[in-house]
Structure formats: structure tokens, C-alpha cells
């Protein structure tokens, strides 16, 4: 072999090594560079959201999620899938959800085991109080007269009997009709069902469980293909988990989205953003290893790149992350809109611990003040703003599609995934309910029942925890950027 050949080979090898280093150092910066700028369909930039979330929202929402009122969530994980025969529940141990013993549940939360409570007193105003409002009323009476010990006794007063006045009975019927009307975007669990159990969210965190394959694919495929207003002319699956994507891969595929009306684009972005957020949680809390039966959880860089890297996803990863920011913006707007509901003195976050309840409400109101201070909110008035008849029909279609997705969550085979899927879809559904109830919220009386707009405790807990998950996702994304930057420096 001539002496020139090895030199050429060595030169080619060195060039390849340099190219590899350049590629490795370039990839992390691409993720950061592409997830920036102004979001579509609104006038807000990603950097502003990052700073607002990091310095104002994330530390406070994290503390709020640790409060008793928000850590216990009542959910039915045994509801059958309404769309197909179930594959059977996941047997992986990390899929298991440990329900909370009744003895651990604060007395004030247990007292509210139904969504609404109707008092049997002759006071017709009390007869139409929600449980949140009724607890506040009785707790204040107890403080003033020292005759009532706590709101658990109020639940005994909440049974309906023949002493109800005709006006109260009519209020009961109207309220039931209201609960079944157009305001709900989600299929709510019946909290009175024997199968519904309290779950301590802090002891059952959302993280990677190993649940995947055909069962997980079927759930997301049904969500994307049947509910996201996909045009018939589009053949490629929208589901990022789809095994075959055909030739329409990459960013250019999404030209079909530009042809949809604003409302349908928003719907798709909300679902895509929710999916991206869930994937971020799984990547950030991945089972890295298990030694002597003790699992070790942490960020998985390889999994993050597989789901979001612009090269590995052919440009689609950054779009998914931008949809996460869009979803954050929608729920942020809902929180700023619902603030007046909680600012009323008649509303308490009742657990039975007077001091903690007061501190929890103070913290919540502080968060609401921050949300109202954000300068670049999404303008929901731009939606359903056309012809009244057409807008009403589109809004109903929008609502039913989302309600259908909430029902699909009962088809998830992993209990822990089902728990967090149900909570986050209910949280988003509650946010949508708030955004499209502005007139009713504006008319809320300060010291009397809310006739036009109500939130159950289940909705309140879901709303704030769902937003907490989005806040955490954006924080985790910042952490991944740092890790990617660090890996790039090591490569160089």
C-alpha cells in the first residue's frame, strides 16, 4: 500500500471527526434557536413567557400544589372505555396509583363529597350555594357563634328533604339543568360513585412508567384522527407516535393547518401542546436505572431528542414545543379571567384548617394578580366572533370534540397515565369553560350565590394542577436547554 493512501484516509477520518463534533455542537443550539420568537395566532413571544413563568409563576404554583386543598384529587380510574374493548390494565408496577386512605383526607374536603350541596334551611339564598360557598358561609358562622365545629356538619345540613320551599326546588332543577348544559367541556367523574377515590397527587407524580405500544398509540391516534378537525384531504396521521409517516414528513406537512379557521387551529394546537407537555414530563422524570429495588428518576436526553430534536423529528419537534407555549397562554388567560370568582369573600378553599385555608387563598389570589399583570394575553374574543348562528354551531362542535377527548382518557391502560391524563384534560376543559363564560363571571355577586357560573372543587383542583404541569414543563424545557448546552461544550 502506498504511503499516500493512509494519509488520505487519515485526512478523511479527521474531517469526519471534525464534522461530527460540529454536528453534535450544533444540534442543541438548533432546538433553542427554533423555539423562540412570536407565537402564531397571538402577539406573544416565547422569551416573555419564559421569564414570566420562571420568576413569577413557577415558584408560587409549585407551593400551591403542595397545599392540602390542591394535593387531593378525587377520580374514578375504573370507568370502562366507551369506545373499544380494553386491552387490560398495565401490569408495570410504576403504572399503579396508590389511593389515599380516608383517614388522611382533611375533614373539610371529605365533607364535600358531592359537587353541589343544597341546604335544607328556609334561607333560599343558601339553597343555591355551591359547596365551596356553603363551606365558607358555615365556617364564618362557626367563627362568629362558636356553635358549629366545622364544615363537615354542614354536609349533614345538605341533605334535601320536604322542608325545601318551592323556590328552592326550582333552584335545584335549574342548577341540575345548568350542570348538564353547554358550559362543560369535559365528561366529569361522578364523585359519589363508590369507584371514585381520593388520590394524593404528590405521592403519585407524573413520570415515565413504561406504558407504550399499541394501547398508547390507539389513544392518541383516536384523539388526533377523530377529534382534531383533520381535513379529509390529509392522509398522513397527525399522531406523532404513528409508526409510518409516509413522504409527508417534516414542517412542510403543516400547510393544511393554515387552511383551517382560527378556532380549529386553536383546537389542534391545544391538543398538540398538551401532548408535548406530557412528553416533557416523561423525558424529565425518566426511569434511568434501578438498583436494589430503588429506582432512580431523572432527565433522559436521548428521549428528549427523539421527541423534540428538529433533526430527528424533521422540524416538527420545535412546532410541538411552540404549541406547549400556546396552551400555557390559553390557561394563563383563563386564570386571569376567573380571578373575580375567587376574590369574593363568600368563596373559601375549605379543608378544615382555618389558618392553612386562609394562607392557601392568599397564595392563590397572589397568583391571580400575577396572571392579570401579564401584558400579552391571548384574545379569546377573536374566536367564535363571526355570524352568530355559525359561531354558535362551531362553538358547540368545538365543545363536543373536546368532551369526546375527555372520555377517551378512560381508555388509557396505565392507571397513573390515566390519572394525569384525566386531570389535565379536565383542567384544560375548565379553562375553556372559563374563557367562554366571561359575561357570567362579570355578573357574579359579591356576597350571594353564583347563579350563572359555578366551579366544583374537582374543577378547581384540576384547573390549578393542570396549569402547574404546564408551568413545570416550561421550566423543564429550560433545564433541557442547559443540559444540551453542557453536552455541546463537552463535545467541543
Amino acid at each position: 500500500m502506498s504511503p499516500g493512501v493512509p494519509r488520505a484516509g487519515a485526512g478523511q477520518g479527521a474531517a469526519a471527526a471534525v464534522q461530527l463534533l460540529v454536528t453534535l455542537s450544533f444540534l442543541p443550539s438548533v432546538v433553542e434557536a427554533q423555539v423562540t420568537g412570536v407565537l402564531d395566532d397571538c402577539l406573544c413571544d416565547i422569551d416573555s413567557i419564559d421569564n414570566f413563568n420562571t420568576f413569577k409563576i413557577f415558584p408560587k404554583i409549585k407551593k400551591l400544589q403542595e397545599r392540602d386543598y390542591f394535593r387531593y384529587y378525587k377520580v374514578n380510574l375504573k370507568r370502562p372505555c366507551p369506545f373499544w374493548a380494553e386491552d387490560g390494565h398495565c401490569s408495570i408496577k410504576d403504572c399503579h396509583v396508590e389511593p389515599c386512605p380516608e383517614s388522611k383526607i382533611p375533614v373539610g374536603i371529605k365533607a364535600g363529597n358531592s359537587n353541589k350541596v343544597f341546604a335544607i334551611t328556609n334561607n333560599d339564598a343558601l339553597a343555591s350555594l355551591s359547596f365551596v360557598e356553603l363551606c365558607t358561609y358555615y365556617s364564618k358562622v362557626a367563627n362568629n357563634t362558636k356553635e358549629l365545629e366545622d364544615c363537615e356538619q354542614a354536609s349533614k345540613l345538605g341533605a334535601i328533604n320536604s322542608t325545601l320551599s318551592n323556590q328552592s326546588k326550582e333552584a335545584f332543577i335549574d342548577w341540575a339543568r345548568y350542570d348538564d348544559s353547554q358550559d362543560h367541556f369535559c365528561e366529569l367523574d361522578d364523585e359519589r360513585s363508590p369507584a371514585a377515590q381520593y388520590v394524593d397527587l404528590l405521592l403519585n407524580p407524573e413520570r415515565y412508567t413504561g406504558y407504550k405500544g399499541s394501547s398508547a398509540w390507539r389513544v392518541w391516534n383516536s384523539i388526533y384522527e377523530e377529534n382534531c378537525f383533520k381535513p379529509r384531504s390529509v392522509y398522513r396521521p397527525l399522531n406523532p407516535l404513528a409508526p409510518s409517516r409516509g413522504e409527508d414528513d417534516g414542517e412542510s406537512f403543516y400547510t393544511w393547518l393554515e387552511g383551517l379557521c382560527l378556532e380549529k387551529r386553536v383546537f389542534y394546537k391545544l391538543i398538540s401542546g398538551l401532548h408535548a407537555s406530557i412528553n416533557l414530563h416523561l423525558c424529565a422524570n425518566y426511569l434511568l436505572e434501578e438498583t436494589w429495588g430503588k429506582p432512580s428518576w431523572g432527565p433522559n436526553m436521548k428521549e428528549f431528542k427523539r421527541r423534540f430534536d428538529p433533526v430527528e423529528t424533521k422540524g416538527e419537534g420545535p412546532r410541538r414545543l411552540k404549541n406547549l407555549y400556546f396552551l400555557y397562554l390559553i390557561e394563563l388567560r383563563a386564570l386571569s379571567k376567573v380571578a373575580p370568582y375567587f376574590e369574593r369573600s363568600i368563596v373559601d378553599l375549605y379543608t378544615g384548617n382555618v389558618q392553612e385555608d386562609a394562607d392557601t387563598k392568599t397564595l392563590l389570589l397572589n397568583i391571580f394578580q400575577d396572571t392579570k399583570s401579564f401584558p400579552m394575553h391571548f384574545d379569546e374574543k377573536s374566536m367564535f366572533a363571526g355570524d352568530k348562528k355559525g359561531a354558535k354551531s362551531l362553538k358547540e362542535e368545538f365543545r363536543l370534540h373536546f368532551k369526546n377527548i375527555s372520555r377517551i382518557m378512560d381508555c388509557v391502560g396505565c392507571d397513573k397515565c390515566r390519572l394525569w391524563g384525566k386531570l389535565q384534560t379536565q383542567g384544560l376543559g375548565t379553562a375553556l369553560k372559563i374563557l367562554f363564560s366571561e359575561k357570567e363571571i362579570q355578573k357574579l355577586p359579591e356576597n350571594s350565590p353564583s347563579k350563572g357560573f359555578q366551579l366544583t372543587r374537582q374543577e378547581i383542583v384540576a384547573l390549578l394542577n393542570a396549569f402547574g404541569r404546564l408551568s413545570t414543563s416550561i421550566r423543564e424545557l429550560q433545564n433541557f436547554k442547559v443540559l444540551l448546552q453542557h453536552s455541546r461544550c463537552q463535545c467541543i
Side-chain angles (χ1 to χ4, degrees):
M1 184 178 291
S2 68
V5 174
R7 283 197 297 271
Q12 291 171 355
V18 170
Q19 182 61 43
L20 176 61
L21 287 173
V22 171
T23 301
L24 288 172
S25 63
F26 181 65
L27 283 178
S29 62
V30 171
V31 175
E32 188 168 357
Q34 292 196 6
V35 186
T36 188
V38 177
L39 295 172
D40 294 335
D41 292 321
C42 59
L43 298 175
C44 183
D45 65 279
I46 287 175
D47 288 344
S48 295
I49 297 176
D50 281 338
N51 291 331
F52 180 78
N53 183 68
T54 299
F55 298 109
K56 284 199 170 185
I57 294 296
F58 179 71
K60 294 176 184 177
I61 199 76
K62 192 171 184 297
K63 286 183 180 179
L64 189 74
Q65 290 175 286
E66 294 170 356
R67 298 282 182 172
D68 281 354
Y69 188 90
F70 290 99
R71 70 183 289 181
Y72 298 107
Y73 179 63
K74 197 166 191 181
V75 61
N76 184 352
L77 297 176
K78 298 179 181 179
R79 286 178 62 170
C81 172
F83 299 108
W84 57 78
E86 296 184 70
D87 301 320
H89 274 50
C90 182
S91 59
I92 302 173
K93 65 178 181 178
D94 293 314
C95 288
H96 177 67
V97 169
E98 189 64 40
C100 196
E102 284 287 323
S103 59
K104 298 282 187 180
I105 307 299
V107 62
I109 293 178
K110 283 192 293 186
N113 59 1
S114 62
N115 285 345
K116 299 286 188 290
V117 175
F118 298 87
I120 64 171
T121 67
N122 291 325
N123 187 333
D124 291 330
L126 289 182
S128 58
L129 287 173
S130 71
F131 179 74
V132 174
E133 295 169 332
L134 191 63
C135 279
T136 304
Y137 173 81
Y138 276 111
S139 65
K140 289 182 178 177
V141 170
N143 289 336
N144 292 334
T145 66
K146 297 183 180 180
E147 293 178 357
L148 296 174
E149 293 181 358
D150 55 50
C151 192
E152 187 172 27
Q153 294 182 15
S155 68
K156 297 177 182 178
L157 297 174
I160 298 170
N161 69 15
S162 58
T163 63
L164 277 170
S165 67
N166 289 334
Q167 186 177 352
S168 296
K169 292 175 182 177
E170 289 175 6
F172 183 96
I173 295 170
D174 288 342
W175 207 334
R177 186 183 298 116
Y178 174 79
D179 276 350
D180 294 330
S181 69
Q182 301 184 73
D183 74 317
H184 283 149
F185 282 75
C186 283
E187 185 85 13
L188 301 180
D189 282 346
D190 182 359
E191 295 187 68
R192 297 164 297 182
S193 167
Q197 294 178 299
Y198 283 103
V199 174
D200 186 336
L201 298 175
L202 297 184
L203 297 181
N204 294 274
E206 182 181 23
R207 59 192 179 193
Y208 180 78
T209 64
Y211 175 64
K212 56 185 178 181
S214 59
S215 178
W217 177 85
R218 181 190 284 185
V219 168
W220 282 110
N221 194 62
S222 179
I223 289 172
Y224 280 108
E225 299 300 306
E226 299 169 17
N227 295 281
C228 282
F229 300 100
K230 178 183 175 181
R232 292 182 179 179
S233 58
V234 176
Y235 296 104
R236 202 203 85 172
L238 303 185
N239 182 4
L241 300 177
S244 176
R245 306 291 287 277
E247 298 178 357
D248 287 332
D249 284 350
E251 181 68 14
S252 61
F253 165 70
Y254 290 93
T255 53
W256 67 269
L257 197 58
E258 299 170 4
L260 296 183
C261 63
L262 171 65
E263 292 80 6
K264 293 181 179 181
R265 288 201 307 273
V266 166
F267 191 98
Y268 170 79
K269 288 179 181 180
L270 295 180
I271 301 306
S272 174
L274 178 60
H275 198 181
S277 179
I278 291 172
N279 281 334
L280 260 171
H281 303 153
L282 306 187
C283 294
N285 291 281
Y286 203 90
L287 180 59
L288 302 177
E289 61 180 338
E290 190 165 358
T291 307
W292 300 102
K294 293 184 178 181
S296 173
W297 305 86
N300 186 317
M301 296 274 289
K302 184 178 179 181
E303 191 67 23
F304 175 82
K305 287 184 177 182
R306 185 177 77 83
R307 295 174 186 265
F308 298 110
D309 183 85
V311 175
E312 293 196 30
T313 63
K314 298 185 179 180
E316 295 188 32
R319 175 182 283 272
R320 297 171 196 161
L321 293 174
K322 285 184 178 180
N323 290 338
L324 160 64
Y325 281 92
F326 185 83
L327 173 59
Y328 179 94
L329 212 55
I330 292 291
E331 294 199 14
L332 180 70
R333 178 61 164 172
L335 291 183
S336 71
K337 287 286 186 180
V338 82
Y341 179 86
F342 292 93
E343 289 168 349
R344 297 175 303 153
S345 60
I346 200 171
V347 173
D348 252 356
L349 306 175
Y350 188 80
T351 67
N353 184 326
V354 177
Q355 186 57 54
E356 177 167 324
D357 293 347
D359 292 342
T360 300
K361 184 170 182 180
T362 298
L363 178 57
L364 179 62
L365 294 183
N366 193 262
I367 291 172
F368 285 144
Q369 286 302 314
D370 286 337
T371 64
K372 289 192 285 188
S373 72
F374 187 72
M376 291 173 282
H377 276 295
F378 175 78
D379 182 11
E380 72 283 356
K381 292 180 182 178
S382 60
M383 296 176 64
F384 310 111
D387 167 67
K388 285 188 177 181
K389 185 176 180 181
K392 184 177 180 181
S393 175
L394 181 59
K395 182 179 178 181
E396 179 64 5
E397 189 179 10
F398 190 102
R399 185 185 73 85
L400 291 176
H401 276 234
F402 192 85
K403 194 169 186 178
N404 208 44
I405 289 175
S406 73
R407 298 177 68 206
I408 293 174
M409 289 299 130
D410 284 318
C411 300
V412 177
C414 162
D415 276 351
K416 189 166 287 184
C417 304
R418 181 183 291 205
L419 164 66
W420 286 101
K422 286 169 75 79
L423 182 144
Q424 289 174 87
T425 51
Q426 185 179 13
L428 176 52
T430 304
L432 294 172
K433 168 182 171 178
I434 292 166
L435 287 180
F436 302 123
S437 301
E438 182 177 19
K439 291 181 180 179
E440 290 79 5
I441 294 174
Q442 289 176 344
K443 295 176 182 177
L444 289 173
E446 172 62 31
N447 296 305
S448 58
S450 313
K451 292 184 179 180
F453 178 82
Q454 288 287 350
L455 289 177
T456 67
R457 180 184 173 275
Q458 190 184 38
E459 288 175 306
I460 295 169
V461 173
L463 174 68
L464 272 301
N465 273 285
F467 184 67
R469 293 279 72 205
L470 297 179
S471 179
T472 300
S473 290
I474 289 178
R475 191 72 188 89
E476 294 290 3
L477 180 55
Q478 308 313 307
N479 293 339
F480 272 113
K481 287 180 180 179
V482 172
L483 291 173
L484 289 168
Q485 184 72 23
H486 181 66
S487 68
R488 182 176 62 163
C489 292
Q490 287 184 326
C491 288
I492 295 176

